[in-house]
Amino acid sequence: MIRRGGETLGLALLAALGVVVVSWALWGHRGGAARPPLEFGAGDLERLDPAATSDDPWLAPDPVAAERAAADEPQDAPLVRLGLRGRVVDVEGRPIAGAEVRWALYRLGGRALRLRAAATTGPDGTFAFDGAAPSHPRLVLVARHDAFAPTVVERRLSGADDALDLGDVVLAAGGAIVGRVLGPGATPVAGTELRLRPAGGNELDRLEAWRELLPAPRVRPDGRFAVERLPAGSYRLQAWAPGLQRVAPETPTIVREGEVTDVGELVLARGYRLAGVVLDPLGAPREGATVRVRDAPSAGRGLSVRAVLRTDALGRFELDHLPDRPLRVEVDAAGCLSWAKEPVVVTTGAELRVQLVAGLALSGRVIDAVSGAPLTRYTSSVREVNPDLEDLETPPVAPPDGLAPPRDHVRGEFVERGLDVGRYVVEAYAPGYVFARSPVVELRADAPAAPLELRLVRGRTVAGHVVDAATGAPLAAARVELRVPPRAAPPATVAVQSVDGPEDEPVDGVLARTAITDTDGAFEFDDLAAAEVFLVARRAGFVTFRGEPFALAESRAGLRVELDAPAVLTGRVAGSTATSERAHVLVYGGVGRLQVVRAAIDGDYRVEGLAPGAYLVRACSGDPRDGLVTLVQPHTDVTGRPLASDVVLRAGEQRELPLVVQAPLLGGVSGVLRVDGAAAGGWRVTVIATQPDASLAPRFVGRHVATVTRADGSFRLDAVPAGARLLRFTPRETDGGASSFVREVNIAAGEVRSLALDL
């Protein structure tokens, strides 16, 4: 049943939805063979460009940040084979024919590669893809149909050939948002527009193509609107009309499956316009200058960005629908000093005239550190830095990815002009040498900077082969990482990250360089600095290898990296019968070696991809995070290793281990909080785990358990993992000088501990 905030909608909407329900039968399975796979190649992928803008600044991303992301995107990812298949069904499990299925490959911090073509499901709801694509770590698949809300499926990829069976991809009816937009005088306004976008935490918010997935909102002449078939999640709405301000609900709008959320009336007030022109140092219009409009601090709203614009061919910029509020306007253009003005008052209607000033220069030369001879072919760059936020004392062990090709420099000299006031470093790299970085240079408008001299030293090489440990055969397409050990590693974290899928084994240290082995299993890293390093190697179908650190005082060749075949653990869990109570199996072999799978209805389980070694194995009912901290953690030492093992696995072995389901050891705590003799209502009470005495002992992370004290100061927390726990009490923001505090409490399984706290 569709409900509005818990109340039943009108008969008209229910009747319309009934048509959709009846039509579901038309999409059911009618027999027939599954469609052949949609074949693709690397040339069939399009790059989703975050620099794409909109005429609405509220929707447009920061073009400067987009350009930086584009520059940082690796261009040399190797091609791997990718096969996908699955079935699109409704919530009742019935196949949906005619659904559109598309996917994209994502790299953290970079742009996405999306398949231009979409597969359409056949009568049995199935789809399939097969082809070659650049290696990316994350796959995002979207399924949509005009009668349903779209759904998103994410999978991690191995970096090598992948064949993924996604199973059933479920499409639901979704929810809806309704409301009304009115102008001054509480009357509808012609030309009213409405925009909808996913808010933070909504799975669509991470997709650069989310605009294509959501229905386009339309405002009727009476000001009313209804946006239907929305996936459950949080959204932000914004409405505006000519000459009026933009208005939006103060908090994100929550959409729930099968419900309609009424946001009420959105009332538009009078709006204002900001316009201006940007001129270069010679007085000519400056096209492409970046204009940021912020709320000025005097407006009491901080420096939040209101819009990011680019000037047109005449150097002009314009922004409408602004409130009567002081603004700060900032202008940046390559080769010029930055410009800013505040407060800017928009109610006067006066236009801004921005005259830019030519930027500053930084120069120097690059030489061989031993001979002192100038290096005439190298790549160099000047980068603005904040020494308080990054380590600039130690240059990278290897040249960073994405460097520009080397070019000729007469007498080894370089000069970079058009810089803004700030702190900079110069970085240089020549083939055969170690990447170098200058000391921090502060550029000021009132004094030129002294010339720099960068001395480059010869680099070292690390080379070897990756082979199958069992057969000695070379392994092609293995990913080899050169890493630098951390100076001071923080305590490791043990947490349930996913269920029914192998965890990515965490590796400490700083990634310096990656390589993909060739057909002979060979890899090589050149131009390395003298440092302590270690190797990590990964390949689909094998256990991740982590080598011991070694000092790179000189070049190292002939290294042999052996990858073990993973082990498999299977069995049956006794006592796991009901579907809702299917047990979770936790297989733990130490930090970075945790897998969690859900047993089948009949109790069978299977855990793949296990590294050789000893494991503690538990089957638990309820939340697996509770099982981790109550059934696994108590049986580990201060380093996180199991005190005793239930099974020892060899490389490539398949072992059977019967299990008996156990309930997590849970208790509770209740009490009353008083501060200065008065009931402390509205305080947040959070359960946190006690940390072992060893400073580097791993931290086991369980389920988040928290509540808020009632008006009389009372509180109660149920389903708290048994053992020594800490309760953190955090006051409301309105409680002036009150500060948070922590109390230790011992929770006994099956009991509720009572506390009386008077501060």
Side-chain angles (χ1 to χ4, degrees):
M1 178 179 292
I2 301 294
R3 303 179 66 85
R4 172 182 303 169
E7 298 180 3
T8 308
L9 278 180
L11 295 177
L13 180 56
L14 287 176
L17 291 172
V19 175
V20 174
V21 173
V22 171
S23 65
W24 281 353
L26 300 179
W27 300 323
H29 178 51
R30 301 180 181 177
R35 295 191 175 183
L38 176 63
E39 297 184 354
F40 63 91
D44 298 317
L45 300 175
E46 62 179 338
R47 194 172 296 278
L48 295 181
D49 189 354
T53 59
S54 161
D55 57 358
D56 176 13
W58 185 65
L59 293 177
D62 184 335
V64 176
E67 289 168 6
R68 289 174 180 167
D72 292 340
E73 174 70 7
Q75 305 295 323
D76 57 350
L79 292 179
V80 296
R81 198 74 185 173
L82 182 61
L84 302 172
R85 64 188 179 94
R87 187 175 73 133
V88 179
V89 300
D90 64 19
V91 293
E92 300 296 330
R94 293 174 293 211
I96 299 175
E100 179 186 278
V101 182
R102 302 185 72 171
W103 52 261
L105 301 173
Y106 280 76
R107 185 182 299 277
L108 184 64
R111 296 177 293 176
L113 293 175
R114 182 179 62 179
L115 187 66
R116 290 189 178 92
T120 303
T121 57
D124 59 355
T126 60
F127 62 88
F129 299 88
D130 185 58
S135 172
H136 277 54
R138 187 162 65 98
L139 169 82
V140 177
L141 180 139
V142 177
R144 59 185 299 181
H145 190 285
D146 289 343
F148 297 88
T151 192
V152 178
V153 176
E154 288 192 62
R155 289 292 187 272
R156 287 174 296 179
L157 302 178
S158 66
D161 293 347
D162 275 295
L164 299 180
D165 185 349
L166 301 176
D168 285 349
V169 177
V170 181
L171 294 185
I177 299 176
V178 299
R180 193 180 189 191
V181 184
L182 301 173
T187 58
V189 179
T192 299
E193 295 187 57
L194 188 70
R195 289 288 185 268
L196 174 77
R197 69 163 298 156
N202 189 318
E203 62 183 6
L204 298 180
D205 187 46
R206 293 170 290 144
L207 302 180
E208 293 166 0
W210 61 262
R211 294 177 184 83
E212 303 174 15
L213 302 177
L214 298 181
R218 293 287 183 269
V219 180
R220 298 199 298 263
D222 62 356
R224 299 186 184 277
F225 63 87
V227 190
E228 301 173 327
R229 294 185 295 279
L230 293 173
S234 57
Y235 295 86
R236 289 197 177 275
L237 280 170
Q238 192 176 69
W240 68 90
L244 301 178
Q245 293 182 30
R246 299 175 186 272
V247 67
E250 292 185 359
T251 59
T253 301
I254 306 300
V255 172
R256 296 181 174 86
E257 174 63 31
E259 294 187 6
V260 172
T261 302
D262 191 341
V263 298
E265 293 182 347
L266 304 178
V267 181
L268 306 178
R270 178 184 175 185
Y272 297 90
R273 169 178 172 271
L274 172 68
V277 62
V278 178
L279 306 176
D280 67 16
L282 299 179
R286 180 59 185 263
E287 182 180 5
T290 301
V291 181
R292 288 186 177 86
V293 181
R294 306 177 185 267
D295 288 319
S298 56
R301 298 173 62 91
L303 286 174
S304 60
V305 177
R306 183 166 288 276
V308 181
L309 312 170
R310 284 296 180 98
T311 56
D312 61 19
L314 299 178
R316 297 191 56 80
F317 63 90
E318 184 175 329
L319 185 62
D320 291 319
H321 313 292
L322 292 170
D324 178 10
R325 182 178 297 140
L327 301 174
R328 174 183 171 90
V329 179
E330 302 167 350
V331 179
D332 291 291
C336 300
L337 297 182
S338 58
W339 180 95
K341 180 180 180 180
E342 70 169 89
V344 175
V345 180
V346 296
T347 55
T348 64
E351 293 196 351
L352 290 176
R353 180 182 175 88
V354 180
Q355 177 72 60
L356 298 176
V357 177
L360 308 174
L362 190 56
S363 62
R365 66 173 187 154
V366 177
I367 64 173
D368 184 295
V370 176
S371 67
L375 299 179
T376 59
R377 187 166 181 79
Y378 59 87
T379 181
S380 64
S381 62
V382 177
R383 182 167 63 91
E384 189 172 9
V385 297
N386 185 342
D388 298 329
L389 299 180
E390 62 177 308
D391 177 17
L392 299 171
E393 298 297 326
T394 307
V397 171
D401 293 328
L403 292 177
R407 61 183 183 87
D408 294 332
H409 293 259
V410 178
R411 296 185 299 276
E413 297 173 350
F414 65 85
V415 60
E416 186 77 19
R417 295 184 174 87
L419 301 175
D420 204 352
V421 172
R423 291 179 290 183
Y424 294 85
V425 293
V426 178
E427 297 171 331
Y429 165 68
Y433 288 84
V434 174
F435 177 83
R437 177 184 295 143
S438 75
V440 176
V441 178
E442 184 166 1
L443 290 184
R444 299 165 47 188
D446 58 353
L452 297 172
E453 185 174 81
L454 276 70
R455 298 172 174 268
L456 273 57
V457 299
R458 289 286 181 179
R460 294 155 180 79
T461 299
V462 171
H465 291 78
V466 178
V467 300
D468 185 323
T471 65
L475 295 176
R479 175 186 171 93
V480 183
E481 302 173 359
L482 183 75
R483 289 181 170 266
V484 180
R487 293 181 178 178
T493 297
V494 180
V496 178
Q497 302 289 349
S498 65
V499 177
D500 295 335
E503 298 284 356
D504 284 339
E505 183 175 350
V507 179
D508 58 4
V510 178
L511 179 63
R513 183 70 73 83
T514 62
I516 304 297
T517 57
D518 61 17
T519 55
D520 295 325
F523 65 90
E524 182 172 313
F525 301 106
D526 294 321
D527 302 337
L528 305 176
E532 186 178 40
V533 297
F534 66 94
L535 294 175
V536 173
R538 315 171 193 264
R539 191 181 188 278
F542 291 86
V543 177
T544 298
F545 167 88
R546 185 197 189 283
E548 293 298 324
F550 59 90
L552 192 57
E554 57 185 17
S555 295
R556 298 282 297 269
L559 298 179
R560 181 182 174 90
V561 176
E562 298 182 346
L563 299 187
D564 288 314
V568 178
L569 187 64
T570 65
R572 174 165 291 191
V573 180
S576 177
T577 55
T579 302
S580 60
E581 293 297 328
R582 287 162 55 191
H584 288 90
V585 178
L586 295 88
V587 182
Y588 179 73
V591 175
R593 296 173 63 185
L594 169 68
Q595 281 204 48
V596 181
V597 300
R598 197 176 188 192
I601 296 176
D602 60 3
D604 286 348
Y605 73 90
R606 181 182 179 89
V607 186
E608 301 177 339
L610 296 170
Y615 289 89
L616 179 71
V617 186
R618 294 290 184 270
C620 74
S621 57
D623 195 308
R625 295 171 293 183
D626 293 332
L628 175 67
V629 297
T630 66
L631 302 178
V632 173
Q633 182 182 5
H635 302 284
T636 61
D637 62 19
V638 294
T639 68
R641 294 190 181 93
L643 293 170
S645 62
D646 297 306
V647 63
V648 178
L649 300 175
R650 297 188 300 272
E653 178 184 15
Q654 179 166 323
R655 179 78 68 86
E656 184 173 343
L657 181 67
L659 300 171
V660 177
V661 68
Q662 303 177 57
L665 304 177
L666 304 175
V669 60
S670 65
V672 176
L673 176 64
R674 301 178 67 84
V675 178
D676 295 332
W683 282 53
R684 186 167 183 81
V685 187
T686 307
V687 178
I688 55 178
T690 57
Q691 184 66 20
D693 294 335
S695 60
L696 294 181
R699 185 170 63 94
F700 285 74
V701 179
R703 179 173 43 85
H704 181 72
V705 182
T707 189
V708 176
T709 59
R710 302 182 184 91
D712 61 358
S714 64
F715 65 91
R716 180 184 175 100
L717 291 164
D718 294 311
V720 179
R725 306 290 164 194
L726 297 177
L727 297 183
R728 177 188 289 128
F729 295 83
T730 306
R732 299 171 299 184
E733 294 181 1
T734 56
D735 284 345
S739 57
S740 61
F741 68 94
V742 173
R743 288 290 186 272
E744 184 171 354
V745 59
N746 193 58
I747 306 296
E751 299 180 7
V752 177
R753 179 75 181 273
S754 181
L755 300 175
L757 301 169
D758 199 341
L759 303 183

